[in-house]
Amino acid sequence: MTETSYLTINQLTQYIKAKFTKDPYLQTVYVTGEISNFRLRPNGHQYFSLKDDDAVISVVMFKNAYKKLAFKPEEGMKVLVKGHIGVYERQGSYQLYIDEMLPDGIGALYQAYEQLKEKLAKEGLFDFEHKPIPRFPKKIAVVTSQSGAVIRDIITTVNRRYPIVQLVLYPAVVQGNKAKDSLVKQLKRIEANHDYDTVIIGRGGGSIEDLWPFNEEAVVRQVAKMSLPIITSVGHETDTTLVDFVSDERAATPTGAAELATPVLQDEIIRIKNWQRQMFAFEHQRINHLNERLLKVQRNYIFQDPSRLYEVKQLQLDQLNDRLWTNGQKFLTKYKQEFTTKTNQLWQHNPKHHVINARQQFEWNQEKLSSAMNQFLNNQRQHLNQHMTTLDALSPLKQLKKGYSITESRNQQISSINQVDIGDKVKIQVSDGELNAQITGTRKNK
C-alpha cells in the first residue's frame, strides 16, 4: 500500500501561482469589462472588480499605474484594460493586475476633458467677472510657438490695424508632453513682469491630442489666476478647450485675437478728428453765446451808472436806522420804569426791619428760656430730695440700727432654716460690724 502525500495549503497555492506565472497566455491579457465596487483611495493602490453579464474578477491597480490615467474611473464605466493574471496567496484567489486602462467606446482624452471640466465648474473656476480688454494697449504679450503661423498672423494683423503697439513674444511649446510646463512658465513670467496691457495665448488647429496642453489643469488654473486680461485662440472655431472657459475673451482665430486686442488706428484717428471738429464747433458756439451775454450785461444800466445800484439799498438802510433808534428808545424807557418799580419794592422789603424784630424776639425767647430752665431745675431738685428721703427710709443700714441683722452662709443670705445644717459656719452682719458663728441647732416655727 502506497502512502498518500498531503500538500499544505501554502504548497498548493504556490503550485497554482507558478502555473499562472508560467502560462504565456496569462502574462499579458487584454480584457474588457464594467467597473464594479470602485472606491477611490486617494493616496494608495486601487482595488475593485471588473464584470460582465456572466462573471466577475477581482482587480488590483497599483499607485504608479493609476497616476498615469488621463481620466477618473467611475462605477459602471466600461473600460479596456491591459495587465496580467496573478494569485493572491493569502486568500487563495486569482486576480487581474492592471498596467493600462482606457475607456471603452469613448476616447480617454475626451473623458478626462469632461471630468476635469465638471470638477473645475463645481469649484466655481468658470464663474468670474471678466476683465475688460484695454481699448488702446501699449504692450501686448503673446504666448505661442515662435515658428508657427499663429505669431505671423498676429503680427500681420496688428501691423495692419494698430502698428504703434509693442508685441512681445513669449515662445512656448504648444504640443506634446513638455507643453504644459512651458505654457505655465511663460504665463508666470508675464505675470511677474507687470508691464503688459493684454495677453494673447493660443496655437493653430489640430487633433484633441495636439490641443490637449490647453486642457491641462495646471495651465487652466494659471490662466484663471492671471491679473491681466487674457484672450485665447486655440485651434479652429469649433474647438473649445478648458482655457477658453477661464479667459476674458475667446477668439476663433489668431487674427480674431489680434482684432479683439487692438483697435484700427486709422479709424481712431478719423474718430479723433471728428471729435476735434465737434469740439471746435461747440466751443465756437459757446464763445459766441458768452459774447452775447457779455454785451447784454455791459449794456445794463447798472454798469452804465453803478451808483444807482445802491439807491434803494440806501433808502432801506435809512429806514432801518430810524426803526432801530425808535425801538431803542422804547426799550430803554420800558426798562427804566421797571428798574424804578423794583427799587421801590426792594426798599419796602428792606431786611433791616426784619433783623430788629428778630433780635427783639430772640432776646424775649432767651429770657423766657432762662426762666423756664431755672423753674425746671428747682422742680427736679425737689423731686431728688423726696426720692433720697424715701430711699434712706428703705436703706438696710437703718434696719440694722433697729436691731435687725443679715445672716449669710456660703456667700448666700439665709432666709430659711432649710438652707443650713448643724455645724455650718455663718456670718452675721449687724449695724456696726460682722459676727462669725456656727450652727449648733435649729428650730422651726409652728
Side-chain angles (χ1 to χ4, degrees):
M1 181 176 180
T2 60
E3 184 179 354
T4 303
S5 177
Y6 291 92
L7 298 176
T8 65
I9 302 300
N10 181 56
Q11 289 173 334
L12 178 60
T13 303
Q14 289 289 341
Y15 177 80
I16 295 174
K17 181 179 179 180
K19 288 291 186 179
F20 273 77
T21 303
K22 295 177 181 179
D23 190 330
Y25 294 103
L26 299 180
Q27 292 177 3
T28 301
V29 294
Y30 297 86
V31 179
T32 179
E34 182 181 309
I35 294 178
S36 177
N37 299 322
F38 182 81
R39 181 174 61 85
L40 178 65
R41 294 170 172 81
N43 299 315
H45 310 311
Q46 306 301 320
Y47 302 92
F48 53 98
S49 302
L50 287 179
K51 68 177 183 178
D52 56 21
D53 294 338
D54 301 313
V56 63
I57 185 173
S58 297
V59 170
V60 178
M61 192 171 190
F62 292 118
K63 180 167 58 176
N64 292 335
Y66 183 77
K67 285 183 176 180
K68 297 178 182 179
L69 294 182
F71 69 100
K72 177 183 175 182
E74 297 176 352
E75 183 75 15
M77 180 184 291
K78 194 172 183 181
V79 292
L80 303 172
V81 301
K82 173 187 174 183
H84 61 278
I85 302 297
V87 175
Y88 184 45
E89 302 172 39
R90 183 176 297 275
Q91 294 183 355
S93 62
Y94 77 94
Q95 52 194 17
L96 174 62
Y97 294 84
I98 297 179
D99 299 319
E100 298 176 6
M101 183 162 64
L102 295 173
D104 185 12
I106 185 170
L109 292 180
Y110 181 75
Q111 181 72 21
Y113 172 91
E114 289 297 331
Q115 290 179 351
L116 181 57
K117 179 181 175 182
E118 181 181 0
K119 171 187 173 182
L120 298 180
K122 288 181 179 179
E123 290 182 14
L125 201 68
F126 302 154
D127 301 325
F128 65 97
E129 185 177 353
H130 292 249
K131 298 179 285 295
I133 306 300
R135 186 173 179 182
F136 303 108
K138 296 179 181 179
K139 200 171 182 180
I140 299 175
V142 181
V143 180
T144 188
S145 172
Q146 62 182 349
S147 59
V150 173
I151 187 61
R152 292 196 299 270
D153 290 346
I154 292 175
I155 292 174
T156 301
T157 304
V158 168
N159 287 338
R160 172 174 51 82
R161 290 171 57 88
Y162 199 64
I164 62 175
V165 72
Q166 181 182 357
L167 287 176
V168 179
L169 173 64
Y170 281 79
V173 179
V174 295
Q175 181 176 332
N177 296 331
K178 296 181 180 180
K180 175 184 68 173
D181 295 335
S182 178
L183 291 169
V184 171
K185 176 183 177 182
Q186 298 296 39
L187 288 171
K188 288 182 176 180
R189 286 183 58 200
I190 295 171
E191 181 70 12
N193 197 314
H194 299 293
D195 194 29
Y196 296 98
D197 301 300
T198 311
V199 180
I200 298 176
I201 179 172
R203 60 151 289 152
S207 64
I208 187 172
E209 290 83 2
D210 296 336
L211 304 181
W212 189 252
F214 296 89
N215 292 320
E216 292 283 359
E217 184 173 357
V219 178
V220 176
R221 291 190 182 278
Q222 182 59 41
V223 171
K225 71 170 63 172
M226 296 290 286
S227 61
L228 298 171
I230 292 190
I231 302 173
T232 55
S233 174
V234 181
H236 300 297
E237 185 173 0
T238 56
D239 296 321
T240 302
T241 58
L242 293 179
V243 294
D244 295 327
F245 292 99
V246 293
S247 65
D248 299 290
E249 291 285 353
R250 175 185 180 270
T253 62
T255 300
E259 291 175 349
L260 287 174
T262 59
V264 179
L265 181 60
Q266 192 61 36
D267 292 346
E268 299 301 325
I269 293 174
I270 293 173
R271 187 177 292 108
I272 291 172
K273 289 181 178 179
N274 288 335
W275 286 344
Q276 286 178 338
R277 285 194 295 269
Q278 292 175 9
M279 290 177 60
F280 289 151
F282 174 78
E283 289 299 321
H284 182 70
Q285 183 180 359
R286 181 169 172 271
I287 291 172
N288 289 338
H289 175 68
L290 293 176
N291 283 333
E292 291 177 1
R293 289 183 60 188
L294 178 61
L295 292 174
K296 184 178 180 180
V297 170
Q298 287 176 344
R299 288 193 295 267
N300 193 289
Y301 74 93
I302 293 176
F303 291 99
Q304 301 296 327
D305 186 5
S307 61
R308 294 176 61 185
L309 179 65
Y310 303 101
E311 290 177 353
V312 176
K313 299 297 181 183
Q314 186 64 46
L315 292 174
Q316 293 176 349
L317 179 61
D318 292 340
Q319 292 175 357
L320 291 173
N321 283 331
D322 292 339
R323 288 174 59 186
L324 179 62
W325 173 257
T326 302
N327 292 334
Q329 292 300 318
K330 290 181 180 179
F331 178 81
L332 290 175
T333 301
K334 176 183 176 183
Y335 280 93
K336 280 182 179 180
Q337 293 175 353
E338 291 182 358
F339 178 74
T340 302
T341 302
K342 297 295 183 184
T343 302
N344 293 333
Q345 292 176 354
L346 184 62
W347 178 255
Q348 292 175 3
H349 295 83
N350 193 333
K352 181 178 180 180
H353 304 295
H354 297 288
V355 171
I356 293 173
N357 293 333
R359 184 180 290 112
Q360 292 175 352
Q361 183 68 29
F362 173 74
E363 291 175 353
W364 182 81
N365 289 334
Q366 191 174 26
E367 291 176 0
K368 187 176 179 181
L369 177 64
S370 177
S371 175
M373 286 296 296
N374 290 332
Q375 182 67 31
F376 176 77
L377 290 174
N378 290 331
N379 292 335
Q380 295 298 319
R381 191 177 290 110
Q382 290 177 3
H383 288 311
L384 178 62
N385 290 332
Q386 292 175 359
H387 291 315
M388 290 179 64
T389 301
T390 302
L391 186 63
D392 184 62
L394 299 175
S395 173
L397 295 177
K398 280 198 171 188
Q399 298 298 325
L400 293 176
K401 287 179 180 182
K402 292 179 180 182
Y404 294 101
S405 63
I406 299 173
T407 304
E408 294 180 351
S409 176
R410 303 183 189 93
N411 294 325
Q412 183 179 6
Q413 289 186 0
I414 303 301
S415 60
S416 173
I417 63 174
N418 296 325
Q419 293 179 255
V420 295
D421 296 322
I422 302 299
D424 286 348
K425 292 181 178 182
V426 295
K427 181 174 65 175
I428 302 172
Q429 184 175 355
V430 295
S431 61
D432 57 351
E434 293 180 351
L435 300 175
N436 294 319
Q438 186 174 13
I439 302 300
T440 59
T442 61
R443 187 181 63 190
K444 192 171 185 176
N445 294 331
K446 295 183 180 178

